Amino acid sequence: MVSKPGFRYHPSATARSFGALVQDSFMLWFSSLRAVLWAALAYSLSTQLPLLPWWWDTRAAFAHEPLRAWLDPGIFRTEPAVLLFDLIVTVAGLGFLLVVLERQGRMARGLAPGAGWGIGWRALPAALAATLAYLALNALALAPVAAAWFWGAAQDDALILLLALLVGLLVSAAPLAWVSIAAGFFYPAIVLDGAGPLASLRESLRRVRGHWVPAASLVSLTLLAFLGILSTVGLVPLAAAGGVALWLDGPNGLLRPGWLVWGQIATAPLMALSLPLATAGYLVAYEELGLRLSGK
């Protein structure tokens, strides 16, 4: 897993073309893979673990008539203890993601990735607060949808409600797309530049101003590449888990969720290998926005 010299990332001191940014994102992915792999694996596992308690609690319901169990509205009811477990695992996952971003971000600046937890976990409180503020901004952009819902529901006509929601979604599309990118670079501002929750959002807005299109294009491209790689290679463990379920229990085995849960967990190592591509594009975009802001 040692990077070859031709695949080493070198920071740029001047603004780059979009093609160079894409190439640099892949270079940073290859160069940083060894340094961030353990944290990426921990994050990948944390995204799958919330499925386990639900599967464990519903095993009896799926034991005899799995198809009927899926049709039971109460099958997805979640106990408070499970919700607490999911919350803890989700917060832990954010901590591991911050470690990935800090170590990879240091490499994006030409520095050594560091060792251990770095400041990733120490930045968790600020990152949580910034995440909530970011979600609030996105919810604000969706205000036309909420207004359409309340107005349409008052008309007592399902067709009018659907039309109102469609109009609300169309009105919200542009503000939501803008906010999601313009305010979305707050994590690097926290783990790399030591900004607080609100300051990190302001820094993201400041950097993206006037450069929304290239930032959105690079982040979207590397994210789609990550999802494409994961969806392709991720079929292997899912298919294997489905094959085992079919061999052990026949067609009913495929109607039980166990093989899906364990198949998803088995994809965690593959997700850990491909996730740093998405974060690389995100960090290269952040650094590029800084260069363009300074006029370099």
Side-chain angles (χ1 to χ4, degrees):
M1 203 174 291
V2 178
S3 301
K4 294 182 180 180
F7 289 104
R8 287 182 182 162
Y9 176 81
H10 300 285
S12 175
T14 57
R16 292 154 287 185
S17 66
F18 183 75
L21 291 173
V22 174
Q23 182 179 359
D24 284 349
S25 298
F26 278 86
M27 293 301 102
L28 181 58
W29 174 33
F30 292 130
S31 297
S32 65
L33 193 54
R34 185 173 184 175
V36 304
L37 186 58
W38 67 270
L41 179 59
Y43 170 78
S44 302
L45 284 171
S46 70
T47 63
Q48 307 302 331
L49 287 180
L51 297 171
L52 278 178
W54 174 81
W55 165 75
W56 184 263
D57 288 344
T58 59
R59 287 176 307 138
F62 286 99
H64 301 295
E65 296 184 358
L67 182 58
R68 180 173 294 183
W70 283 114
L71 300 176
D72 181 7
I75 200 67
F76 297 106
R77 189 177 297 116
T78 306
E79 299 295 329
V82 175
L83 287 175
L84 179 60
F85 173 81
D86 293 349
L87 178 61
I88 293 172
V89 171
T90 300
V91 172
L94 176 58
F96 290 120
L97 179 62
L98 294 175
V99 174
V100 172
L101 290 173
E102 188 210 356
R103 303 193 81 178
Q104 198 175 45
R106 286 177 58 84
M107 296 183 72
R109 292 183 172 181
L111 305 172
W117 301 108
I119 67 167
W121 276 82
R122 295 198 297 274
L124 184 56
L128 283 172
T131 300
L132 293 176
Y134 174 73
L135 293 175
L137 288 175
N138 282 269
L140 186 62
L142 286 170
V145 178
W149 171 266
F150 286 111
W151 181 84
Q155 307 307 309
D156 199 23
D157 187 321
L159 181 59
I160 291 179
L161 175 59
L162 288 175
L163 290 174
L165 287 175
L166 178 60
V167 172
L169 287 170
L170 290 175
V171 172
S172 297
L176 183 62
W178 182 83
V179 167
S180 63
I181 295 297
F185 291 92
F186 57 93
Y187 288 137
I190 292 172
V191 297
L192 298 178
D193 298 324
L198 296 181
S200 66
L201 289 166
R202 289 195 296 268
E203 177 64 15
S204 178
L205 292 168
R206 189 171 74 96
R207 289 194 179 214
V208 175
R209 186 182 299 116
H211 304 291
W212 187 93
V213 172
S217 299
L218 182 59
V219 170
S220 299
L221 179 63
T222 51
L223 178 61
L224 289 174
F226 153 63
L227 293 175
I229 294 171
L230 181 61
S231 62
T232 301
V233 299
L235 289 176
V236 176
L238 280 175
V244 171
L246 184 63
W247 177 57
L248 292 176
D249 296 325
N252 275 343
L254 295 178
L255 293 175
R256 299 187 179 99
W259 72 273
L260 284 171
V261 172
W262 289 105
Q264 284 289 105
I265 291 175
T267 64
L270 301 175
M271 181 179 178
L273 289 169
S274 52
L275 173 68
L277 171 57
T279 55
Y282 178 60
L283 291 164
V284 167
Y286 180 77
E287 293 299 292
E288 177 69 13
L289 291 169
L291 291 174
R292 296 189 181 190
L293 183 64
S294 62
K296 295 181 179 179

